[in-house]
Amino acid sequence: MAVSTTNGFDGPYLANGATTSFPFTFTAPSADEVAVLLRAAGGAETLGSGYTVTLGSESGGSVVFAVAPASGVKVIPFLDPDFTQEIAFADGDAWLAAPVNEGYDRSAARDQALKRDVARAWIAPLG
């Protein structure tokens, strides 16, 4: 899987109290690395729960809630990658491209999540 997307989140989608499925276009290494931010009309934010994630064959996918979020809530699926590196090659062994590609894909996902978060942060001058 190559990472051809550059975004680390999608939305916000405005919930209507009936819709349970919300798409996302970013590439996630696994379903466990997709989270959902719920923003109430007053601005209070909570992490979503009670949903499952289905990944697309190449990138993207959807977040499906068991119970539809309340009307007026903004739903923001976002990339929440693990910051681990679990690929290990043994010295002298032949290796395949798939594990190497997975390592690079996970690095790209972490970079996208960091870029998303740094872009929202206060920045102080250098020095």
Side-chain angles (χ1 to χ4, degrees):
M1 157 183 92
V3 178
S4 58
T5 58
T6 59
N7 57 318
F9 72 97
D10 273 297
Y13 300 107
L14 188 60
N16 60 11
T19 302
T20 57
S21 182
F22 299 88
F24 59 88
T25 58
F26 55 83
T27 302
S30 71
D32 292 338
E33 295 172 276
V34 175
V36 179
L37 180 69
L38 301 175
R39 185 176 296 138
E45 295 181 344
T46 58
L47 287 177
S49 62
Y51 62 86
T52 57
V53 175
T54 303
L55 297 178
S57 61
E58 291 296 318
S59 66
S62 58
V63 174
V64 181
F65 286 87
V67 176
S71 183
V73 170
K74 292 181 180 173
V75 179
I76 305 168
F78 68 96
L79 180 61
D80 188 25
D82 291 335
F83 279 77
T84 60
Q85 196 299 102
E86 299 180 14
I87 300 169
F89 299 102
D91 286 337
D93 282 351
W95 45 273
L96 301 172
V100 175
N101 290 338
E102 180 186 349
Y104 283 118
D105 292 347
R106 288 188 162 277
S107 294
R110 288 189 300 267
D111 293 345
Q112 289 174 1
L114 288 170
K115 179 183 176 197
R116 174 200 65 218
D117 294 345
V118 167
R120 297 175 44 227
W122 292 94
I123 298 175
L126 290 176

